[in-house]
């Protein structure tokens, strides 16, 4: 590896270490905002959270899980009733179709248990790497990747830890910079940080602990 590239990589690693340290100080126990009591509920809530606030999802899921508590229950649920129940989360037709199809696959292929590997999770309807990463860490404590949502992608790019806006590329770049044991923490603490400090439109840079090391890319 040429010396210049090696140096750049070591600088990025040092920056990532600083960022992780500061995020852990700010958020000692970062957790998802979604209310869920088991892997199944977390999976459904995460699917519903696409293009929707967590607060809105949390308003909808109690009724949904009261009517259809398990994958087996939801697998047999009438589509129109599920649509009605989750309507306020947006894109409700697709989401209803997806959570029913996921429930059916979990029931028939995985004996009613949410699978605990990336390989199996991404075979479920409505589940891509981002959702699978959230479920793997939140429900099983497994770090198989870094969920790159809008907050994580934006902050990583602004800080100069990611080269662009493609979530798949950003995930790979960040996985190379942060220790595997911290991947779930990186995701959840960056989501909080994005909501509280590094806002998409009005980032609070003067109050930010990263001001001296942030490239403020895109600003
Ligand atoms: Fe975001 Fe500004 Fe902090 Fe950079 S300095 S991480 S742009 S709030």
């Amino acid at each position: 590896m040429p010396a210049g590239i090696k140096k750049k990589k070591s600088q990025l690693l040092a920056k990532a270490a600083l960022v992780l340290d500061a995020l852990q100080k700010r958020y000692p126990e970062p957790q998802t905002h979604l209310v869920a009591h088991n892997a199944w509920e977390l999976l459904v809530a995460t699917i519903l959270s696409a293009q929707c606030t967590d607060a809105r999802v949390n308003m909808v899921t109690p009724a949904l899980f009261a009517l259809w508590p398990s994958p087996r229950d939801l697998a047999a649920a009438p589509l129109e009733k599920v649509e009605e129940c989750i309507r306020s989360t947006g894109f409700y037709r697709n989401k209803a179709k997806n959570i029913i199809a996921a429930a059916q696959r979990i029931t028939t292929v995985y004996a009613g248990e949410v699978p605990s590997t990336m390989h199996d999770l991404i075979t479920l309807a409505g589940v891509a790497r981002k959702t699978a990463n959230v479920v793997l860490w939140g429900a099983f404590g497994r770090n198989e990747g870094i969920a790159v949502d809008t907050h994580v992608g934006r902050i990583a790019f602004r800080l100069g830890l990611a080269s662009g806006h493609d979530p798949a590329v950003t995930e790979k770049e960040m996985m190379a910079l942060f220790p595997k044991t911290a991947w779930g923490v990186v995701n959840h603490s960056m989501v909080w940080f994005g909501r509280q400090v590094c806002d998409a439109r009005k980032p609070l840079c003067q109050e930010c602990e990263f001001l001296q090391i942030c490239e403020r890319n895109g600003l």
Side-chain angles (χ1 to χ4, degrees):
M1 188 187 288
I5 294 178
K6 220 173 176 177
K7 188 171 172 221
K8 173 102 172 120
K9 175 82 195 240
S10 69
Q11 284 170 346
L12 282 173
L13 282 167
K15 183 189 270 191
L18 278 174
V19 167
L20 178 59
D21 188 51
L23 286 174
Q24 284 181 310
K25 284 196 178 102
R26 190 184 262 272
Y27 305 111
E29 289 185 26
Q31 294 293 330
T32 174
H33 296 61
L34 295 168
V35 176
H37 304 95
N38 53 49
W40 166 241
E41 291 188 4
L42 182 59
L43 175 68
V44 172
T46 308
I47 293 172
L48 296 183
S49 71
Q51 310 288 322
C52 180
T53 64
D54 291 352
R56 168 62 58 189
V57 173
N58 291 339
M59 284 181 208
V60 161
T61 45
L64 181 73
F65 297 137
L67 284 167
W68 304 289
S70 70
R72 205 170 293 280
D73 299 315
L74 193 67
L79 177 63
E80 306 73 42
K81 285 204 168 170
V82 176
E83 285 178 354
E84 196 50 43
C85 191
I86 65 167
R87 179 186 283 264
S88 64
T89 67
F91 302 96
Y92 63 96
R93 289 191 201 280
N94 265 344
K95 288 178 181 176
K97 232 182 278 166
N98 283 339
I99 59 176
I100 291 173
Q104 288 167 344
R105 183 166 169 81
I106 289 170
T107 303
T108 54
V109 179
Y110 300 106
E113 299 293 330
V114 175
S116 60
T117 66
M118 176 67 76
H119 175 268
D120 290 332
L121 275 168
I122 58 174
T123 68
L124 302 175
V127 180
R129 275 192 71 89
K130 178 164 75 81
T131 297
N133 277 324
V134 170
V135 173
L136 284 168
W137 189 72
F140 302 108
R142 297 184 65 166
N143 286 299
E144 287 200 30
I146 299 177
V148 178
D149 73 347
T150 177
H151 296 293
V152 177
R154 178 179 73 251
I155 294 165
F157 180 66
R158 283 178 174 173
L159 282 168
L161 297 175
S163 59
H165 298 289
D166 181 333
V169 175
T170 296
E171 182 183 3
K172 277 202 189 117
E173 290 173 338
M174 291 179 70
M175 285 165 69
L177 295 177
F178 291 99
K180 187 172 182 183
T181 50
W183 288 351
V185 166
V186 168
N187 163 256
H188 286 283
S189 54
M190 278 197 180
V191 171
W192 280 100
F193 187 71
R195 288 176 174 164
Q196 296 178 340
V197 184
C198 192
D199 180 76
R201 290 198 187 134
K202 289 187 184 165
L204 306 175
C205 299
Q206 297 311 316
E207 299 169 26
C208 176
E209 53 268 62
F210 304 133
L211 186 56
Q212 302 308 320
I213 61 165
C214 182
E215 292 176 22
R216 302 178 71 188
N217 285 332
L219 285 175

